[in-house]
Amino acid sequence: MGVSITVFAQHQIGDAGQIFDETRFDPRFPDMKEWAKAGVQGGIPLRNTLKIQKTITPQNNLQEAIDEVAAQGGGVVLLKNGEYIISKPVTLQSNVVLRGESKDQTMLKVVMKKMFFKYAPDQKHLVAFEINNAERVGLEDLTFRYAAVDFEPYDKSDFNAAWDRRVFHEHETRDTTLFVHLVIFRNSRNSWVDNCNFLWAGTHPLGLGNCEHITCRNNFMDRAYVKKDSFHGGYYGCWGSKYCLFYNEKVRRIRHFAIMNSGAAYNVVYRCDFEVDVNFHDQDNGHNLVEQCRIATPVWHSWDAIGIGAPNKHRPPGPENLLFNNTVISKGVAGYNRKMGDAQPNAVYQVTTEFGKPNVFLRPDAPPKGGTFYAVKAQP
């Protein structure tokens, strides 16, 4: 099947006012009612419904603008087009939306450096944009770019290029101080990242740690410097988070899109375009849905379309993680893995819960009665 990804001019999936067709809920799959709850509760506010409290240019102090708007009770900080140099961490606060004048021309250039904590145990992670214990935080129409060095990450531009151990399994020796994440949400809820670029991350481009009801929509993610095994880099991470919605995301040339860790449950990944694997590892809580996505790992990638970690490093995936009507290619070979063959349309697949077995298996269930597990109604 083909994957159609459409961005509507006004109303789209994840917006305020989104409703579901309950007549298509199938009692054989009670998780459908839970998946309908994924994303920001009440939806992402339409762009014209939140007040612009402050407009800034690259000459202004971004953190001061955020703090000022937060003190006023919240609203939008509008960043005019230009390059904003980020040389120290920025902390977002509840009820503040950071919005660019235009996505491709509002550039947040991160120039910080940090040594990897395994080399310097006294040092903590460094995050360019942090959201901690907050709600109603929005990032809209922005480009985040790691720009601390003038050389490119190791990866390939050709989908069919040969596998290269250096990309995912060797140290970044040109500079060992690139351990900087772009955007990390922790212990936050009812927040969103919409229509942003994440380019050339130092380590993780975007992560959600122990969060609830986050919507990530219409974002483009490409490349990361630190992608080596066990070096905590190159993840688009849904770590221990639940009821999150990922819609129309395009992700390329990082390590994994990962749903992992205790607490990760009832997340919906819908109509996304991944040229990385979707990886369930380290004992998520299960009951996650991946539907109508393109998941195509390049030949030079090190994983099949669906990954599950390794028994000597991770715990196995949780129960009832379902896959439905996805277009999948594993290292250039059609299918969820290179041994299964093509994925059948309208067939229900599940991620394994045991190491030593295929990552994905075909369930005997008939498809949901309404033809989808995510029964969102068309927007007006």
Side-chain angles (χ1 to χ4, degrees):
M1 59 163 285
V3 175
S4 175
I5 297 178
T6 303
V7 178
F8 297 94
Q10 293 182 331
H11 295 279
Q12 55 182 306
I13 286 170
D15 274 343
Q18 174 172 296
I19 57 176
F20 287 81
D21 184 354
E22 295 186 8
T23 67
R24 293 198 286 172
F25 287 173
D26 191 324
R28 295 176 302 134
F29 301 103
D31 286 349
M32 290 181 68
K33 293 182 179 180
E34 300 303 310
W35 291 326
K37 301 174 185 176
V40 176
Q41 292 174 305
I44 297 176
L46 298 180
R47 293 290 197 275
N48 60 0
T49 61
L50 295 179
K51 183 178 179 181
I52 297 175
Q53 295 282 21
K54 192 171 183 65
T55 299
I56 67 172
T57 71
Q59 285 68 50
N60 299 120
N61 186 295
L62 178 56
Q63 186 67 67
E64 288 180 3
I66 292 167
D67 295 343
E68 179 182 331
V69 171
Q72 296 171 357
V76 177
V77 177
L78 179 66
L79 282 65
K80 300 292 285 186
N81 289 341
E83 292 188 353
Y84 296 75
I85 303 302
I86 309 302
S87 58
K88 59 183 179 180
V90 175
T91 301
L92 274 293
Q93 298 192 43
S94 292
N95 302 309
V96 175
V97 174
L98 211 60
R99 180 185 298 165
E101 183 179 9
S102 63
K103 176 176 67 173
D104 294 325
Q105 298 183 62
T106 309
M107 176 83 70
L108 299 164
K109 298 186 77 169
V110 177
V111 298
M112 299 179 288
K113 288 188 173 186
K114 191 68 173 285
M115 185 171 286
F116 181 49
F117 68 84
K118 288 190 176 180
Y119 294 146
D122 58 320
Q123 299 192 30
K124 298 181 180 179
H125 296 204
L126 186 61
V127 181
F129 290 83
E130 295 184 287
I131 303 92
N132 299 315
N133 300 295
E135 57 184 301
R136 309 300 298 180
V137 173
L139 300 172
E140 302 174 348
D141 311 330
L142 298 162
T143 292
F144 300 88
R145 163 73 189 272
Y146 191 63
V149 293
D150 59 5
F151 54 84
E152 296 188 20
Y154 287 130
D155 50 45
K156 308 288 183 178
S157 58
D158 181 356
F159 185 90
N160 294 303
W163 181 80
D164 185 342
R165 177 179 172 80
R166 179 177 60 179
V167 177
F168 296 107
H169 308 291
E170 292 184 5
H171 292 287
E172 172 53 84
T173 57
R174 296 171 296 178
D175 192 322
T176 60
T177 63
L178 307 183
F179 196 74
V180 180
H181 309 315
L182 290 180
V183 175
I184 303 291
F185 289 76
R186 295 189 185 95
N187 303 307
S188 297
R189 58 184 290 118
N190 283 321
S191 297
W192 61 93
V193 184
D194 189 18
N195 194 43
C196 292
N197 293 322
F198 294 83
L199 306 178
W200 300 27
T203 44
H204 302 320
L206 175 59
L208 313 178
N210 300 311
C211 295
E212 297 181 22
H213 294 287
I214 308 293
T215 298
C216 297
R217 180 180 75 175
N218 302 330
N219 300 302
F220 174 65
M221 204 167 294
D222 190 24
R223 313 184 82 177
Y225 284 94
V226 178
K227 301 188 290 294
K228 184 185 184 299
D229 309 271
S230 302
F231 265 62
H232 301 257
Y235 280 55
Y236 182 176
C238 180
W239 304 303
S241 295
K242 58 186 177 182
Y243 291 105
C244 296
L245 171 63
F246 303 89
Y247 169 67
N248 196 33
E249 301 284 84
K250 183 172 179 61
V251 183
R252 306 178 67 238
R253 295 189 288 184
I254 63 172
R255 186 175 173 90
H256 307 300
F257 173 76
I259 298 176
M260 59 184 289
N261 298 141
S262 177
Y266 301 112
N267 298 293
V268 172
V269 185
Y270 187 63
R271 294 188 179 179
C272 293
D273 186 354
F274 295 119
E275 288 191 5
V276 299
D277 64 309
V278 176
N279 205 298
F280 295 83
H281 67 279
D282 228 6
Q283 208 165 50
D284 60 277
N285 276 31
H287 305 276
N288 299 288
L289 172 67
V290 181
E291 180 174 329
Q292 293 188 48
C293 294
R294 173 179 176 261
I295 312 169
T297 55
V299 173
W300 54 268
H301 206 72
S302 289
W303 293 269
D304 287 337
I306 300 295
I308 62 168
N312 59 330
K313 294 182 179 180
H314 308 107
R315 296 164 294 177
E320 299 293 321
N321 288 316
L322 297 191
L323 312 167
F324 188 65
N325 275 349
N326 299 296
T327 299
V328 286
I329 297 172
S330 294
K331 290 176 61 66
V333 177
Y336 282 111
N337 62 53
R338 285 160 287 171
K339 298 179 180 180
M340 286 183 64
D342 288 350
Q344 301 174 33
N346 298 313
V348 181
Y349 290 86
Q350 182 179 326
V351 180
T352 186
T353 59
E354 300 179 64
F355 289 122
K357 293 189 176 182
N359 294 3
V360 173
F361 63 90
L362 177 63
R363 288 174 51 135
D365 308 78
K369 68 175 185 179
T372 181
F373 286 109
Y374 192 64
V376 64
K377 281 190 174 180
Q379 299 292 334

